[in-house]
């Protein structure tokens, strides 16, 4: 049974989380695969299908996988295309035959994985010459209002303090602490891409409420989701942020990727 809170979180995630930039998809296909069209692309930790949707047209078949039934339910309703299917499953049990997948992506998800177990599955299902790409979105930066930008950086430190050990170990260092399979042989590709959006204060708060640590923060502070929203708004105001209008925000997507050698040694 899906709780109202789970559904609301999925809806915010779907609406406000940044989308996978086409430029990174082009890099995966054009550079890592040498222009070869993928037959099967697996998007692991796909959530409500934001990243999966962006892959449509770039592979013959696309499979989105997520451990959350709530997220998969949202994804199936939001992404309807004959090339796309979704499955509930963990990173340690990918729904694919051995040696069958051309590309595996994990967008804003790998820092939640049991990485040794995930890489073992990647080794099982990824074809020789296939690509593995882990992608994260850095915390958004307000580039049009210095006062809001400074207040947000301060608030972000508070929010990250509620993160898991894995968040601090992998996400905050921008995946520099993750060693990819085969990167010693095939190299480690690191690519960044910026996307700009216009957000009101309400949009900004909705985005922050999609953070995974929101529930933990609410529990520890004894607040409802709306109470936490009000607390964050007041945090901004105490630091001189008065406006409610649109400001320009920058989302930076960072990708670390490698390819499996065509002949494993």
């Amino acid at each position: 049974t899906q709780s109202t809170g789970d559904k609301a979180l999925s809806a915010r995630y779907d609406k406000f989380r940044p989308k996978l930039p086409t430029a990174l998809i082009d890099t995966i296909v054009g550079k890592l695969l040498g222009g070869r069209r993928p037959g099967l692309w697996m998007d692991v930790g796909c959530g409500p299908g934001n990243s999966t949707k962006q892959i449509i047209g770039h592979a013959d078949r696309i499979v989105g996988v997520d451990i959350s039934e709530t997220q998969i339910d949202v994804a199936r309703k939001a992404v309807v295309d004959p090339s796309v299917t979704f499955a509930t499953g963990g990173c340690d049990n990918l729904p694919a035959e051995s040696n069958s997948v051309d590309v595996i992506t994990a967008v804003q998800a790998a820092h939640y994985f049991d990485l040794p177990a995930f890489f073992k599955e990647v080794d099982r299902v990824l074809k020789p010459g296939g690509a593995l790409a882990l992608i994260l979105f850095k915390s958004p930066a307000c580039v049009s209002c210095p006062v809001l930008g400074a207040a947000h950086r301060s608030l972000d430190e508070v929010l990250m303090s509620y993160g898991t050990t894995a968040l601090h170990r992998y996400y905050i260092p921008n995946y520099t602490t993750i060693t990819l399979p085969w990167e010693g042989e095939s190299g480690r590709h690191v690519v960044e891409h910026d996307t700009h959006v216009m957000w009101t204060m309400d949009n900004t708060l909705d985005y922050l409420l999609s953070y995974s640590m929101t529930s933990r923060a609410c529990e520890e502070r004894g607040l409802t989701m709306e109470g936490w929203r009000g607390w964050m708004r007041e945090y901004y105001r105490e630091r001189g942020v008065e406006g409610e209008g649109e400001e320009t925000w920058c989302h930076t997507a960072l990708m670390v990727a490698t390819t499996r050698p065509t002949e494993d040694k």
Side-chain angles (χ1 to χ4, degrees):
T1 302
Q2 298 173 5
S3 71
T4 301
D6 287 341
K7 291 179 180 178
L9 180 60
S10 292
R12 280 192 294 270
Y13 198 106
D14 181 41
K15 185 173 182 180
F16 292 103
R17 283 301 178 100
K19 306 300 188 289
L20 176 61
T22 302
L24 296 188
I25 297 174
D26 291 341
T27 297
I28 292 170
V29 176
K31 185 172 184 178
L32 299 182
L33 297 186
R36 173 173 52 87
R37 181 178 175 84
L40 176 57
W41 188 311
M42 182 166 286
D43 190 27
V44 185
C46 66
N50 287 4
S51 52
T52 316
K53 185 186 303 181
Q54 305 306 118
I55 301 167
I56 294 173
H58 297 275
D60 294 336
R61 291 189 298 133
I62 304 160
V63 178
V65 182
D66 200 276
I67 199 169
S68 167
E69 292 183 5
T70 300
Q71 296 279 36
I72 288 296
D73 184 57
V74 173
R76 285 175 174 150
K77 292 180 174 69
V79 185
V80 180
D81 186 274
S83 68
V84 180
T85 57
F86 290 98
T88 303
C91 66
D92 58 348
N93 187 24
L94 300 178
E97 298 294 326
S98 298
N99 193 35
S100 66
V101 182
D102 295 284
V103 179
I104 296 175
T105 48
V107 181
Q108 198 72 354
H111 42 281
Y112 298 114
F113 293 172
D114 176 341
L115 287 175
F118 172 58
F119 289 151
K120 182 178 180 179
E121 275 293 87
V122 170
D123 181 63
R124 180 180 69 82
V125 305
L126 193 65
K127 292 179 180 178
L132 168 66
L134 310 184
I135 299 164
L136 64 79
F137 291 95
K138 298 180 181 180
S139 180
C142 181
V143 297
S144 62
C145 177
V147 174
L148 177 54
H152 178 73
R153 288 192 295 273
S154 176
L155 176 58
D156 202 60
E157 291 183 5
V158 175
L159 297 173
M160 291 300 166
S161 72
Y162 292 98
T164 62
T165 300
L167 190 80
H168 288 267
R169 182 182 301 158
Y170 301 124
Y171 174 77
I172 293 176
N174 295 327
Y175 288 176
T176 57
T177 52
I178 297 177
T179 300
L180 300 176
W182 313 297
E183 69 173 59
E185 301 164 72
S186 302
R188 179 186 180 96
H189 302 270
V190 181
V191 182
E192 291 191 6
H193 181 80
D194 291 341
T195 302
H196 292 85
V197 297
M198 299 297 294
W199 275 354
T200 63
M201 176 56 70
D202 280 336
N203 295 153
T204 303
L205 294 173
D206 279 328
Y207 172 82
L208 294 174
L209 285 174
S210 76
Y211 275 17
S212 62
M213 62 282 288
T214 294
S215 296
R216 184 175 177 184
C218 287
E219 182 178 347
E220 290 193 14
R221 289 177 176 264
L223 295 171
T224 64
M225 198 71 74
E226 282 306 304
W228 179 242
R229 183 191 190 92
W231 184 90
M232 291 192 294
R233 186 185 292 274
E234 186 61 27
Y235 189 96
Y236 280 131
R237 286 176 177 165
E238 289 175 353
R239 285 152 184 79
V241 179
E242 299 293 342
E244 297 285 334
E246 288 189 334
E247 298 291 350
T248 304
W249 291 78
C250 178
H251 285 291
T252 298
L254 180 145
M255 178 175 75
V256 295
T258 192
T259 55
R260 181 171 195 155
T262 52
E263 293 184 7
D264 288 339
K265 297 178 181 179

